[in-house]
Amino acid sequence: MRYRGMDHSPTTDPAPPGPLDFLEFAAARGGHLYKTAYLLTGGDSHLAEDLVQEALSRMFVRWRRLCRLENPAGYAQTVLVNTFLSLRRRRSSRERVTDEFPDLAVSDTDPVLRLTMLQALQQVSPQDRAVLVLRFWEDRSVEETASALNLSSTAVRSRSHRALGRMRAILGDAFAERLAG
């Protein structure tokens, strides 16, 4: 029993000690998770905040089970690191915040060709599209592409071959001649 206020009337705690409340856990561990995320991101405070938010939201969904773990704080660290690693694998994670934008001349001499290629790319599978874009648009090596997509070099080579064949079939012979000529 404890006494509250000046009236000294006894009150009891509304909930017996038990599993941690998620908000209490997030408040207690959030700062530490942020520091770890800040280091993981190389000092990008905005990305660090996003990582912490993502990690905590993933834990919140499963909190009824996770609160019973012996070390939910350790689990939170693991979720944070795994979230960071999965983010690093995504192409969008390579974006960098900047306040300067380079003036780039548009060298699109044939907008019809560009649009046709984009439409053809939309017709191949996402994995094949990723291989084609990394290999031929970004001019990455087979090994770099394999690493980025978590594939073997052999898989990248065979996907490249199949995807190029599919693109040729989609574009047709007349279009292939236009590219060559």
Side-chain angles (χ1 to χ4, degrees):
M1 252 192 252
R2 63 185 172 137
Y3 293 93
R4 188 182 285 174
M6 297 286 268
D7 66 350
H8 301 287
S9 60
T11 60
T12 58
D13 290 328
L20 288 173
D21 177 58
F22 180 78
L23 293 177
E24 291 173 5
F25 173 81
R29 297 303 302 168
H32 185 75
L33 289 171
Y34 174 78
K35 288 176 188 174
T36 301
Y38 187 81
L39 293 173
L40 287 172
T41 62
D44 185 337
S45 61
H46 299 291
L47 182 56
E49 289 171 355
D50 290 346
L51 284 172
V52 171
Q53 182 178 359
E54 179 68 23
L56 288 175
S57 66
R58 289 180 183 186
M59 289 192 67
F60 177 75
V61 173
R62 296 175 183 86
W63 186 248
R64 294 176 92 184
R65 283 182 282 160
L66 296 178
C67 68
R68 294 182 182 94
L69 290 176
E70 187 174 314
N71 185 7
Y75 186 83
Q77 289 294 117
T78 301
V79 171
L80 178 73
V81 171
N82 288 339
T83 302
F84 168 73
L85 291 174
S86 69
L87 180 71
R88 300 310 315 163
R89 289 183 202 115
R90 292 185 216 139
R91 181 167 164 34
S92 64
S93 68
R94 298 217 171 106
E95 296 175 350
R96 298 289 179 237
V97 177
T98 182
D99 60 348
E100 297 177 22
F101 298 98
D103 291 330
L104 300 174
V106 175
S107 61
D108 193 1
T109 57
D110 192 352
V112 173
L113 171 64
R114 181 175 180 267
L115 291 173
T116 304
M117 293 297 287
L118 288 173
Q119 289 170 349
L121 275 173
Q122 290 175 350
Q123 295 180 42
V124 298
S125 73
Q127 190 80 5
D128 287 347
R129 190 178 324 141
V131 168
L132 289 174
V133 168
L134 293 176
R135 285 283 293 128
F136 302 107
W137 178 259
E138 293 187 1
D139 200 29
R140 292 189 186 193
S141 69
V142 170
E143 291 75 24
E144 289 172 329
T145 303
S147 176
L149 298 175
N150 199 23
L151 297 170
S152 69
S153 296
T154 305
V156 169
R157 284 186 195 94
S158 65
R159 266 195 189 275
S160 294
H161 181 72
R162 277 193 319 244
L164 285 173
R166 175 87 172 114
M167 289 287 287
R168 285 185 190 106
I170 292 168
L171 294 172
D173 292 334
F175 194 76
E177 289 173 11
R178 181 176 175 201
L179 289 176

